[in-house]
Amino acid sequence: MSAPRRIRVKTGLGRILSLDHPSNRYVLVATALAGAGTMVWRWTNGADDVLSWAVRIAGAVFLAWAIGREIDPDDTGSAGIATIIVVPLTVLGTPSLASAAAILVATRIAVRTTGVSPHLIDGVVLTAGAAYLGARPETWPALGTLILAVATDRYAQPPGPERTLWFSISMIVAAVSTALWLADPPGWARPTIAEWVVLAVAAVAGFLAIVNIRPVQSRTDWHDRTLSDSRLRFGRVLVLFTLVVGAVYLGGPIVPTLTPAWAAVAAVTVMHYYRVIQEKRLPKD
């Protein structure tokens, strides 16, 4: 991906969605089809929340793809598989687009696919986002992961600037303020059998994604620099961390809340073993 130089120095959060890339064109079509299909399905069943569900499912498809691109930058196939896995998972409940977006930003900062650490404007955006998420208890596991990603950017390899520590502190202050003012902590809910299955599969897939890291070949968006293997591993660790914290804190509701993240990590593992099988089938010299 490429962007004008004036954009490169402004943000470590955003990425250009260039239509030159087949995967980018695919996700736009998949997102539109998911939204349109959901509208038709809800309308034919006489539902009165047609538009809101269409937006949620379309958003879940796009975010599953985007998270997959962050935690498996070398293979767009993982992102494509994630868009397929996430759709049936939405039958378990409404995905939280705010939570999934927080995980997307957290993995982007952790892996540093942009090649740029958060700048001052990013810090303002992150603080405002933390305040927004702080008022919504169902997003707290994802919010904690986002703050952790920002706070640890200074200590990852290659290390980020010291300003990210200050950004994380401002995010904590903003989130705690809105949480105390506007939110009521939810109780823990026992997962259903289906939710237990998804939790177990996502946990195994997350662990396998972490241990099966290959040397990264992709380069950052804004600099001619190869992505860090250790940062990629940490990005995948954050997804598993969210699963564990969410299961302990919320219980079953964490499953439908973050279906895009579970779909992405499952797709990464599926794609890894697909590559392994394909390599074994290649004729040896």
Side-chain angles (χ1 to χ4, degrees):
M1 298 181 185
S2 61
R5 190 173 184 81
R6 61 185 178 85
I7 296 179
R8 294 182 182 182
V9 299
K10 289 184 178 179
T11 180
L13 305 182
R15 302 185 72 183
I16 302 298
L17 195 67
S18 172
L19 295 181
D20 292 337
H21 296 268
S23 179
N24 295 357
R25 296 195 297 270
Y26 161 80
V27 74
L28 293 179
V29 173
T31 299
L33 290 177
T38 302
M39 288 186 69
V40 172
W41 174 63
R42 300 291 291 180
W43 180 74
T44 55
N45 284 276
D48 57 2
D49 53 356
V50 174
L51 183 59
S52 64
W53 263 93
V55 170
R56 290 169 187 167
I57 302 304
V61 167
F62 181 84
L63 288 167
W65 173 87
I67 296 171
R69 292 291 290 120
E70 298 300 321
I71 61 176
D72 193 5
D74 280 350
D75 200 329
T76 57
S78 295
I81 293 172
T83 64
I84 297 171
I85 295 176
V86 74
V87 174
L89 289 180
T90 59
V91 302
L92 297 175
T94 306
S96 169
L97 301 186
S99 292
I103 296 300
L104 170 62
V105 175
T107 54
R108 182 167 295 167
I109 292 172
V111 182
R112 200 186 287 175
T113 46
T114 63
V116 180
S117 287
H119 286 278
L120 180 59
I121 295 176
D122 297 329
V124 174
V125 172
L126 289 167
T127 301
Y132 175 82
L133 296 174
R136 291 158 176 77
E138 74 278 2
T139 69
W140 287 355
L143 172 59
T145 299
L146 177 57
I147 293 174
L148 179 62
V150 176
T152 56
D153 183 65
R154 178 70 181 86
Y155 306 101
Q157 293 298 324
E162 188 174 344
R163 64 175 176 264
T164 55
L165 291 175
W166 295 106
F167 293 164
S168 65
I169 292 172
S170 68
M171 292 171 69
I172 292 172
V173 172
V176 171
S177 298
T178 55
L180 292 175
W181 181 28
L182 299 171
D184 293 320
W188 188 83
R190 183 183 297 276
T192 64
I193 294 177
E195 289 170 344
W196 275 121
V197 171
V198 173
L199 283 171
V201 171
V204 172
F207 174 77
L208 292 174
I210 292 168
V211 299
N212 292 315
I213 293 284
R214 297 188 176 199
V216 188
Q217 304 297 320
S218 296
R219 295 184 176 274
T220 65
D221 290 349
W222 311 137
H223 301 293
D224 188 20
R225 185 182 306 147
T226 304
L227 294 173
S228 164
D229 294 352
S230 62
R231 276 185 169 271
L232 178 59
R233 189 184 304 275
F234 183 57
R236 295 181 181 184
V237 167
L238 286 179
V239 178
L240 185 58
F241 170 81
T242 310
L243 174 70
V244 174
V245 172
V248 171
Y249 176 67
L250 291 177
I254 194 62
V255 173
T257 295
L258 279 172
T259 46
W262 317 146
V265 77
V268 169
T269 297
V270 168
M271 200 65 199
H272 169 78
Y273 285 105
Y274 172 78
R275 293 191 209 112
V276 170
I277 293 172
Q278 291 297 101
E279 289 170 0
K280 289 182 177 180
R281 289 178 176 177
L282 291 175
K284 296 181 179 180
D285 296 333

